[in-house]
Amino acid sequence: MARITAGIATSHVPLLGVGIDQKKMDDPYFKPIYAGYEWTKDWIAKPENKPDVIVLVYNDHASAFDMNLIPTFAIGCADTFTPADEGWGPRPVPLVKNDADFAWHVAQSCILDEFDMTIINKMNVDHGLTVPLSLMFGQPDAWPCKIVPLAVNVVTYPPPTGNRCYNLGKAIRRAIESYEEELNVHVWGTGGMSHQLQGPRAGLINAEWDQRFLDDLSKDHERLRNIPHIEYLRETGSEGIEMVMWLIMAGALGASPKALHRHYHVPASNTAVGHIVLEPAS
Ligand code: DHB
Ligand code: FE
C-alpha cells in the first residue's frame, strides 16, 4: 500500500527561485536563507527518504486561474504540467510529471469522501509549486519524483478555513492509504510565513507568531486548525493566509508528528521564510 512518510512545509518566495536560477547561492543575502535547506537536501537525497510521489499543496498566483475561474481546491490529474511564464519567461526548471493514476485515485477518494475537488487536466504551474521543488532538489535535469499539484485558493476572498484544510489533509491520507501500489508519498504545504506584499503594512513580519505556528505543527494541531482568517490577516499580513495550506499537510500527517528539521529567516524579499520537515508519529 502507499503510505505517507513525511510532510514538508516551506515558503515559496519567487526571489528564492530567481536566486537558484542565477546561481546566487553564495551571495551574502541568499546564503543564510539557502543554508536552512541544506539539511533537507541531504536528507531527501538518501534512497530511504526519497519520495516516489509528492502531493504538493500550493497556490496559484493568477498564473493559471484568474477572476474567471476560482477553484477552492483543484487537483492536477494530467500527465505533465509546464512551468508558467510569470512575466519574465518560464523558469528554467524541469517539466512537472504527475502519477496520473495515483492523482485520479486521490481525486476520486476525496470526492467520494465529500470533498468536491476540481479536476484539472491543463494547468501551468507557477512559483508556488516550482520554488519549493528547487529548494529541496536544486537544479536537476528532471525532478526525481512524480508530483501531484494540489492548488488551493488563498488569493481571492473567501479562502477555505484552516479547519477545512486540515480535514482535507485527513481525506488525502485516507486516499493515499487506500492506494494499492507501494509508494513512498510526501505531502508538502507551501506559502507563508508572515508576509504582506502591498499597502501601508507591506513588509509586516511577526516572528513570534510564526515561530509558535512552527512549534505547534508538532505540538498542537487543535490550536492551528482553529485559527480564524482574521488572525492570519491581523498578525501575519494579508498573504500570511497562505499558511492554511500547511494545515493540509498537517492533517495528512495526523497528530503529534516529529519535527526532524526547521528553519526560519527574515528577510527574503520582504517576507519571512519558514521551513519544517515532519515525520508522522508511528
Ligand atoms: C512573494 C510572493 C509570494 O507568492 C510569496 O508567497 C512570498 C513572497 C514576493 O513577491 O515577494
Ligand atoms: Fe505566494
Side-chain angles (χ1 to χ4, degrees):
M1 300 302 261
R3 64 194 182 93
I4 300 177
T5 56
I8 295 185
T10 182
S11 307
H12 58 218
V13 185
L15 180 67
L16 299 185
V18 176
I20 293 170
D21 299 343
Q22 298 185 357
K23 305 208 185 302
K24 297 215 187 280
M25 289 72 161
D26 290 324
D27 176 289
Y29 180 87
F30 287 98
K31 206 171 176 171
I33 301 172
Y34 295 135
Y37 291 88
E38 284 306 315
W39 184 93
T40 314
K41 285 175 83 173
D42 289 345
W43 176 86
I44 209 166
K46 296 198 173 104
E48 65 271 26
N49 299 327
K50 195 188 91 57
D52 297 308
V53 189
I54 301 165
V55 177
L56 206 161
V57 181
Y58 76 108
N59 69 291
D60 176 76
H61 303 73
S63 305
F65 308 127
D66 57 23
M67 291 304 281
N68 288 310
L69 181 70
I70 307 168
T72 300
F73 298 119
I75 180 165
C77 291
D79 287 327
T80 58
F81 301 93
T82 305
D85 182 346
E86 298 183 62
W88 296 271
R91 285 191 62 214
V93 290
L95 190 67
V96 170
K97 295 187 180 161
N98 194 4
D99 181 337
D101 287 342
F102 173 75
W104 275 102
H105 167 83
V106 174
Q108 169 173 301
S109 177
C110 288
I111 290 166
L112 297 183
D113 218 349
E114 303 183 346
F115 282 86
D116 305 320
M117 313 297 288
T118 300
I119 292 165
I120 303 279
N121 283 314
K122 191 168 193 306
M123 172 170 73
N124 291 342
V125 286
D126 72 9
H127 68 269
L129 182 134
T130 62
V131 168
L133 290 171
S134 300
L135 288 168
M136 297 334 144
F137 296 125
Q139 295 182 290
D141 292 334
W143 299 122
C145 59
K146 301 288 177 63
I147 295 134
V148 180
L150 201 154
V152 180
N153 168 42
V154 290
V155 168
T156 305
Y157 193 85
T161 63
N163 190 50
R164 181 76 173 154
C165 289
Y166 194 83
N167 284 331
L168 175 60
K170 289 186 178 190
I172 289 170
R173 182 184 183 138
R174 288 191 287 272
I176 292 168
E177 292 182 344
S178 64
Y179 193 65
E180 289 202 353
E181 203 177 317
E182 268 208 28
L183 293 176
N184 175 344
V185 183
H186 279 191
V187 181
W188 292 13
T190 79
M193 296 191 90
S194 292
H195 64 304
Q196 170 135 357
L197 300 177
Q198 69 284 305
R201 296 206 313 161
L204 181 143
I205 302 291
N206 188 342
E208 203 177 312
W209 196 99
D210 288 345
Q211 293 284 8
R212 198 167 159 230
F213 192 92
L214 287 167
D215 289 342
D216 285 347
L217 282 168
S218 42
K219 284 196 197 139
D220 193 351
H221 287 187
E222 290 310 305
R223 183 183 79 83
L224 296 184
R225 67 193 290 186
N226 288 306
I227 297 171
H229 286 153
I230 193 72
E231 183 176 334
Y232 288 101
L233 199 71
R234 189 181 58 229
E235 297 295 332
T236 72
S238 50
E239 281 75 45
I241 192 67
E242 287 185 344
M243 280 182 273
V244 295
M245 295 186 290
W246 295 31
L247 298 183
I248 297 179
M249 180 273 292
L253 287 188
S256 310
K258 184 176 166 198
L260 302 179
H261 172 68
R262 148 177 182 170
H263 172 50
Y264 186 78
H265 180 86
V266 177
S269 173
N270 60 356
T271 82
V273 164
H275 166 47
I276 195 161
V277 181
L278 297 165
E279 186 179 68
S282 47

mmCIF file of all heavy atoms in Angstrom, residues 184-206:
data_model
loop_
_atom_site.group_PDB
_atom_site.id
_atom_site.type_symbol
_atom_site.label_atom_id
_atom_site.label_comp_id
_atom_site.label_asym_id
_atom_site.label_seq_id
_atom_site.Cartn_x
_atom_site.Cartn_y
_atom_site.Cartn_z
ATOM 1 N N ASN A 184 6.081 5.559 -1.649
ATOM 2 C CA ASN A 184 6.513 6.443 -0.576
ATOM 3 C C ASN A 184 6.009 7.843 -0.941
ATOM 4 O O ASN A 184 6.460 8.430 -1.926
ATOM 5 C CB ASN A 184 8.053 6.377 -0.515
ATOM 6 C CG ASN A 184 8.645 7.356 0.478
ATOM 7 O OD1 ASN A 184 7.978 8.279 0.920
ATOM 8 N ND2 ASN A 184 9.901 7.156 0.816
ATOM 9 N N VAL A 185 5.040 8.334 -0.181
ATOM 10 C CA VAL A 185 4.382 9.597 -0.547
ATOM 11 C C VAL A 185 4.732 10.687 0.459
ATOM 12 O O VAL A 185 4.688 10.460 1.673
ATOM 13 C CB VAL A 185 2.842 9.430 -0.600
ATOM 14 C CG1 VAL A 185 2.178 10.718 -1.057
ATOM 15 C CG2 VAL A 185 2.446 8.266 -1.507
ATOM 16 N N HIS A 186 5.086 11.840 -0.063
ATOM 17 C CA HIS A 186 5.223 13.034 0.771
ATOM 18 C C HIS A 186 4.025 13.947 0.539
ATOM 19 O O HIS A 186 3.514 14.011 -0.577
ATOM 20 C CB HIS A 186 6.445 13.848 0.339
ATOM 21 C CG HIS A 186 7.744 13.350 0.861
ATOM 22 N ND1 HIS A 186 8.908 14.078 0.760
ATOM 23 C CD2 HIS A 186 8.067 12.213 1.493
ATOM 24 C CE1 HIS A 186 9.903 13.405 1.303
ATOM 25 N NE2 HIS A 186 9.422 12.255 1.751
ATOM 26 N N VAL A 187 3.632 14.668 1.586
ATOM 27 C CA VAL A 187 2.667 15.754 1.406
ATOM 28 C C VAL A 187 3.396 17.039 1.776
ATOM 29 O O VAL A 187 3.984 17.130 2.868
ATOM 30 C CB VAL A 187 1.409 15.558 2.274
ATOM 31 C CG1 VAL A 187 0.423 16.700 2.043
ATOM 32 C CG2 VAL A 187 0.740 14.214 1.944
ATOM 33 N N TRP A 188 3.428 17.984 0.872
ATOM 34 C CA TRP A 188 4.102 19.262 1.115
ATOM 35 C C TRP A 188 3.064 20.388 1.189
ATOM 36 O O TRP A 188 2.110 20.408 0.405
ATOM 37 C CB TRP A 188 5.072 19.604 -0.026
ATOM 38 C CG TRP A 188 6.281 18.720 -0.129
ATOM 39 C CD1 TRP A 188 6.518 17.524 0.493
ATOM 40 C CD2 TRP A 188 7.440 18.962 -0.957
ATOM 41 N NE1 TRP A 188 7.740 17.025 0.126
ATOM 42 C CE2 TRP A 188 8.332 17.883 -0.767
ATOM 43 C CE3 TRP A 188 7.799 19.995 -1.836
ATOM 44 C CZ2 TRP A 188 9.567 17.815 -1.432
ATOM 45 C CZ3 TRP A 188 9.016 19.915 -2.493
ATOM 46 C CH2 TRP A 188 9.895 18.835 -2.279
ATOM 47 N N GLY A 189 3.273 21.300 2.129
ATOM 48 C CA GLY A 189 2.466 22.521 2.209
ATOM 49 C C GLY A 189 3.379 23.697 1.937
ATOM 50 O O GLY A 189 4.500 23.740 2.439
ATOM 51 N N THR A 190 2.937 24.642 1.139
ATOM 52 C CA THR A 190 3.827 25.761 0.791
ATOM 53 C C THR A 190 3.156 27.106 1.065
ATOM 54 O O THR A 190 1.964 27.181 1.334
ATOM 55 C CB THR A 190 4.252 25.699 -0.689
ATOM 56 O OG1 THR A 190 3.176 26.196 -1.491
ATOM 57 C CG2 THR A 190 4.612 24.283 -1.124
ATOM 58 N N GLY A 191 3.957 28.178 0.970
ATOM 59 C CA GLY A 191 3.469 29.541 1.191
ATOM 60 C C GLY A 191 3.892 30.062 2.541
ATOM 61 O O GLY A 191 4.629 29.400 3.276
ATOM 62 N N GLY A 192 3.399 31.270 2.894
ATOM 63 C CA GLY A 192 3.769 31.847 4.190
ATOM 64 C C GLY A 192 5.256 32.194 4.219
ATOM 65 O O GLY A 192 5.934 32.113 3.210
ATOM 66 N N MET A 193 5.853 32.521 5.374
ATOM 67 C CA MET A 193 5.082 32.723 6.603
ATOM 68 C C MET A 193 4.583 34.175 6.605
ATOM 69 O O MET A 193 3.957 34.545 5.628
ATOM 70 C CB MET A 193 5.931 32.360 7.819
ATOM 71 C CG MET A 193 6.292 30.841 7.784
ATOM 72 S SD MET A 193 7.023 30.204 9.290
ATOM 73 C CE MET A 193 5.547 29.691 10.206
ATOM 74 N N SER A 194 4.887 34.977 7.677
ATOM 75 C CA SER A 194 4.416 36.360 7.669
ATOM 76 C C SER A 194 4.721 37.012 6.332
ATOM 77 O O SER A 194 5.861 36.966 5.882
ATOM 78 C CB SER A 194 5.187 37.207 8.695
ATOM 79 O OG SER A 194 4.930 36.877 9.999
ATOM 80 N N HIS A 195 3.737 37.531 5.673
ATOM 81 C CA HIS A 195 4.028 38.462 4.589
ATOM 82 C C HIS A 195 2.833 39.268 4.140
ATOM 83 O O HIS A 195 1.736 38.760 4.029
ATOM 84 C CB HIS A 195 4.765 37.846 3.411
ATOM 85 C CG HIS A 195 4.112 36.769 2.590
ATOM 86 N ND1 HIS A 195 3.634 35.599 3.108
ATOM 87 C CD2 HIS A 195 3.945 36.681 1.241
ATOM 88 C CE1 HIS A 195 3.207 34.829 2.113
ATOM 89 N NE2 HIS A 195 3.377 35.466 0.975
ATOM 90 N N GLN A 196 3.136 40.539 3.919
ATOM 91 C CA GLN A 196 2.170 41.446 3.298
ATOM 92 C C GLN A 196 2.935 42.155 2.193
ATOM 93 O O GLN A 196 3.966 42.782 2.439
ATOM 94 C CB GLN A 196 1.616 42.440 4.330
ATOM 95 C CG GLN A 196 0.798 43.538 3.681
ATOM 96 C CD GLN A 196 -0.520 43.843 4.374
ATOM 97 O OE1 GLN A 196 -0.903 43.203 5.352
ATOM 98 N NE2 GLN A 196 -1.225 44.832 3.867
ATOM 99 N N LEU A 197 2.450 42.006 0.958
ATOM 100 C CA LEU A 197 3.235 42.480 -0.186
ATOM 101 C C LEU A 197 2.848 43.883 -0.645
ATOM 102 O O LEU A 197 3.523 44.453 -1.493
ATOM 103 C CB LEU A 197 3.102 41.496 -1.353
ATOM 104 C CG LEU A 197 3.586 40.066 -1.054
ATOM 105 C CD1 LEU A 197 3.338 39.145 -2.244
ATOM 106 C CD2 LEU A 197 5.057 40.054 -0.683
ATOM 107 N N GLN A 198 1.764 44.433 -0.112
ATOM 108 C CA GLN A 198 1.336 45.745 -0.602
ATOM 109 C C GLN A 198 0.674 46.553 0.509
ATOM 110 O O GLN A 198 0.350 46.013 1.566
ATOM 111 C CB GLN A 198 0.364 45.603 -1.787
ATOM 112 C CG GLN A 198 -0.998 45.035 -1.423
ATOM 113 C CD GLN A 198 -0.957 43.543 -1.185
ATOM 114 O OE1 GLN A 198 -0.507 42.811 -2.046
ATOM 115 N NE2 GLN A 198 -1.406 43.097 -0.034
ATOM 116 N N GLY A 199 0.498 47.851 0.244
ATOM 117 C CA GLY A 199 -0.225 48.731 1.165
ATOM 118 C C GLY A 199 0.644 49.211 2.307
ATOM 119 O O GLY A 199 1.831 48.887 2.392
ATOM 120 N N PRO A 200 0.042 49.987 3.218
ATOM 121 C CA PRO A 200 0.825 50.600 4.309
ATOM 122 C C PRO A 200 1.508 49.570 5.215
ATOM 123 O O PRO A 200 2.516 49.892 5.833
ATOM 124 C CB PRO A 200 -0.209 51.405 5.109
ATOM 125 C CG PRO A 200 -1.436 51.443 4.284
ATOM 126 C CD PRO A 200 -1.366 50.381 3.236
ATOM 127 N N ARG A 201 0.986 48.354 5.304
ATOM 128 C CA ARG A 201 1.615 47.355 6.190
ATOM 129 C C ARG A 201 2.592 46.453 5.438
ATOM 130 O O ARG A 201 3.036 45.434 5.961
ATOM 131 C CB ARG A 201 0.537 46.500 6.873
ATOM 132 C CG ARG A 201 -0.377 47.284 7.820
ATOM 133 C CD ARG A 201 -0.959 46.392 8.919
ATOM 134 N NE ARG A 201 -1.497 45.146 8.412
ATOM 135 C CZ ARG A 201 -1.729 44.051 9.153
ATOM 136 N NH1 ARG A 201 -1.486 44.066 10.450
ATOM 137 N NH2 ARG A 201 -2.228 42.960 8.620
ATOM 138 N N ALA A 202 2.939 46.794 4.192
ATOM 139 C CA ALA A 202 3.861 45.946 3.403
ATOM 140 C C ALA A 202 5.129 45.697 4.210
ATOM 141 O O ALA A 202 5.674 46.608 4.842
ATOM 142 C CB ALA A 202 4.192 46.627 2.086
ATOM 143 N N GLY A 203 5.583 44.460 4.191
ATOM 144 C CA GLY A 203 6.813 44.110 4.912
ATOM 145 C C GLY A 203 6.557 43.663 6.341
ATOM 146 O O GLY A 203 7.501 43.356 7.072
ATOM 147 N N LEU A 204 5.283 43.584 6.743
ATOM 148 C CA LEU A 204 4.970 43.170 8.122
ATOM 149 C C LEU A 204 5.525 41.772 8.430
ATOM 150 O O LEU A 204 5.344 40.844 7.640
ATOM 151 C CB LEU A 204 3.451 43.171 8.305
ATOM 152 C CG LEU A 204 2.949 42.791 9.705
ATOM 153 C CD1 LEU A 204 1.725 43.631 10.055
ATOM 154 C CD2 LEU A 204 2.605 41.312 9.814
ATOM 155 N N ILE A 205 6.239 41.659 9.539
ATOM 156 C CA ILE A 205 6.787 40.373 9.973
ATOM 157 C C ILE A 205 6.413 40.169 11.432
ATOM 158 O O ILE A 205 6.614 41.073 12.253
ATOM 159 C CB ILE A 205 8.341 40.353 9.864
ATOM 160 C CG1 ILE A 205 8.824 40.634 8.439
ATOM 161 C CG2 ILE A 205 8.911 39.024 10.406
ATOM 162 C CD1 ILE A 205 8.534 39.558 7.413
ATOM 163 N N ASN A 206 5.890 39.000 11.772
ATOM 164 C CA ASN A 206 5.574 38.669 13.158
ATOM 165 C C ASN A 206 6.279 37.346 13.485
ATOM 166 O O ASN A 206 5.685 36.262 13.393
ATOM 167 C CB ASN A 206 4.046 38.575 13.332
ATOM 168 C CG ASN A 206 3.635 38.414 14.787
ATOM 169 O OD1 ASN A 206 4.453 38.038 15.633
ATOM 170 N ND2 ASN A 206 2.372 38.672 15.067
#
